[in-house]
């Protein structure tokens, strides 16, 4: 499909300015891009699990969202929106609602990978016509930068602190997009260039009948410890090193969105962030080798899945 991105980027914002998210935060860029994918005339109900995004865009009775908005607890964003979607279908069947509504809920990785996984799983398995968007910043940033199951290996967090007895988080990050791959649409993206990749996947997710899931790497300057203006560079390096590959799963078919012409070493991505600075000490060279091996393994596994279609 041909897109006029100048026209798309000039669409009215559905997330109003004046919220309190940090400068250099990927979460609000993710939200703005996803909501731009709504077609003109379509309304939306937005859900939001507790987290940075929720506490910074909603202070009762005010919200930064132009659409209907529901603040959920950490654990029930998927359940709440699936209930609202069901009620909408009943009211539309009875002729009490004529407008077209779409149902989109946002959650950080803490409220998605961990605390909210049960209600997310239920909503997706039941096949509700809704989109769950995870803005993945790799930790529980809102409550003090504690590790989550999305936190990458060897990251320095407040619950996996680097010190004489520890090299940070010891486990690899959970691959949630792979876990969700049985539903009609899954897309993995991040913040790149003119946002084309994320925009196109958001549009597919919103307008694919049934359950859809978007996993969007959304860097956090406080937790990742990078200069705020470097966010786009970091996202690009995540893709070019294959730490965060871009792909879709459509009705079980794995599709690679982008393959780097020259795959960069994982050090190029890790070096940009203060949470990994300990890995560049001479005595930790073996940790970088181990990290590269895991990135390579996951990349080869993804290539294999995509080649089987």
């Amino acid at each position: 499909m041909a897109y006029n991105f100048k026209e798309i980027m000039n669409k009215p914002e559905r997330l109003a300015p004046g919220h309190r998210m940090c400068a250099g935060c990927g979460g609000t860029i993710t939200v703005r891009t996803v909501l731009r994918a709504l077609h003109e005339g379509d309304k939306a109900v937005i859900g939001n699990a507790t987290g940075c995004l929720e506490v910074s865009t909603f202070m009762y009775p005010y919200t930064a969202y132009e659409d209907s908005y529901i603040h959920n607890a950490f654990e029930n964003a998927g359940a709440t929106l699936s209930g609202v979607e069901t009620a909408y279908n009943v009211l539309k069947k009875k002729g009490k609602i004529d407008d077209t509504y779409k149902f989109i809920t946002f959650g950080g990785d803490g409220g998605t990978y961990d605390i909210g996984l049960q209600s997310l799983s239920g909503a997706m398995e039941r096949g509700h016509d809704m989109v769950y968007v995870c803005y993945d910043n790799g930790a529980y940033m809102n409550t003090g930068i504690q590790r989550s199951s999305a936190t990458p290996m060897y990251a320095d967090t407040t619950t996996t602190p680097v010190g004489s007895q520890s090299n940070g988080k010891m486990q690899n990050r959970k691959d949630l997009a792979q876990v969700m791959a049985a539903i009609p649409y899954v897309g993995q993206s991040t913040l790149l260039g003119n946002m084309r990749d994320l925009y196109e996947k958001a549009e597919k997710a919103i307008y694919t009948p049934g359950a859809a899931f978007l996993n969007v790497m959304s860097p956090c300057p406080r937790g990742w410890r990078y200069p705020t203006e470097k966010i786009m560079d970091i996202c690009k390096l995540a893709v070019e090193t294959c730490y965060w590959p871009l792909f879709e799963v459509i009705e079980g078919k794995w599709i690679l969105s982008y393959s780097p012409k020259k795959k960069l070493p994982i050090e190029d991505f890790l070096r940009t962030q203060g949470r990994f600075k300990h890995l560049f000490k001479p005595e930790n060279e073996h940790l970088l080798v181990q990290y590269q091996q895991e990135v390579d393994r996951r990349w080869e596994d993804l290539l294999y899945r995509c080649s089987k279609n």
Side-chain angles (χ1 to χ4, degrees):
M1 181 183 295
Y3 293 96
N4 183 334
F5 268 84
K6 183 176 181 180
E7 183 177 303
I8 287 169
M9 291 301 131
N10 284 326
K11 280 185 176 181
E13 292 284 358
R14 290 184 183 242
L15 180 69
H19 55 73
R20 296 167 295 148
M21 295 290 273
C22 297
C25 168
T28 47
I29 304 174
T30 296
V31 172
R32 291 170 60 203
T33 305
V34 169
L35 296 184
R36 277 199 184 99
L38 284 158
H39 294 171
E40 187 175 353
D42 287 351
K43 298 181 179 180
V45 177
I46 308 299
N48 193 182
T50 300
C52 291
L53 183 65
E54 180 272 316
V55 300
S56 298
T57 60
F58 173 71
M59 180 180 286
Y60 183 82
Y62 303 105
T63 173
Y65 290 90
E66 299 290 350
D67 292 283
S68 300
Y69 175 82
I70 305 175
H71 162 218
N72 312 116
F74 258 123
E75 67 273 13
N76 67 343
T80 300
L81 260 287
S82 65
V84 175
E85 184 261 357
T86 301
Y88 164 76
N89 289 331
V90 171
L91 292 171
K92 193 154 191 178
K93 187 176 181 180
K94 291 181 176 181
K96 294 184 177 182
I97 293 179
D98 292 325
D99 294 325
T100 298
Y101 277 84
K102 297 298 181 180
F103 302 89
I104 305 170
T105 193
F106 295 95
D109 50 278
T112 305
Y113 283 65
D114 299 336
I115 302 174
L117 184 61
Q118 188 174 22
S119 67
L120 168 61
S121 176
M124 299 293 101
E125 185 273 334
R126 291 190 299 271
H128 292 280
D129 192 5
M130 59 177 281
V131 184
Y132 192 108
V133 182
C134 177
Y135 65 100
D136 185 341
N137 54 32
Y140 289 85
M141 300 303 183
N142 177 49
T143 53
I145 316 176
Q146 298 93 346
R147 63 89 83 190
S148 77
S149 61
T151 304
M153 185 167 59
Y154 300 138
D156 182 18
T157 76
T158 54
T159 49
T160 58
V162 169
S164 60
Q165 303 301 312
S166 172
N167 288 311
K169 186 193 173 197
M170 298 307 296
Q171 300 81 14
N172 286 303
R173 63 177 299 276
K174 183 190 294 182
D175 189 346
L176 187 56
Q178 181 174 322
V179 173
M180 301 299 295
I183 66 175
Y185 182 81
V186 171
Q188 181 159 295
S189 188
T190 189
L191 315 175
L192 295 168
N194 62 4
M195 303 295 169
R196 187 185 187 97
D197 185 79
L198 177 54
Y199 176 87
E200 290 181 347
K201 287 172 179 169
E203 186 179 46
K204 289 179 185 177
I206 293 168
Y207 292 98
T208 293
F213 177 76
L214 286 174
N215 204 26
V216 187
M217 192 189 80
S218 307
C220 168
R222 288 283 293 113
W224 295 24
R225 303 204 290 278
Y226 62 83
T228 57
E229 71 275 9
K230 296 297 184 181
I231 180 171
M232 304 300 280
D233 296 335
I234 290 172
C235 291
K236 184 176 181 181
L237 285 170
V239 173
E240 295 294 337
T241 59
C242 298
Y243 168 80
W244 193 266
L246 308 178
F247 63 88
E248 299 172 292
V249 187
I250 304 175
E251 299 290 353
K253 181 180 180 180
W254 289 71
I255 302 168
L256 190 66
S257 305
Y258 174 76
S259 180
K261 291 181 180 179
K262 182 180 180 182
K263 183 167 171 280
L264 297 178
I266 191 60
E267 293 101 304
D268 289 6
F269 171 69
L270 301 177
R271 202 184 301 273
T272 62
Q273 304 154 57
R275 61 179 177 162
F276 294 118
K277 67 179 182 180
H278 58 288
L279 295 181
F280 295 92
K281 295 179 179 179
E283 64 270 23
N284 287 335
E285 184 177 348
H286 66 289
L287 300 180
L288 287 173
V289 172
Q290 183 182 351
Y291 210 119
Q292 185 68 66
Q293 289 172 343
E294 178 61 19
V295 169
D296 293 344
R297 184 193 69 78
R298 294 191 179 205
W299 175 244
E300 292 301 322
D301 180 68
L302 175 61
L303 292 178
Y304 175 76
R305 290 174 183 271
C306 294
S307 70
K308 299 299 288 183
N309 296 318

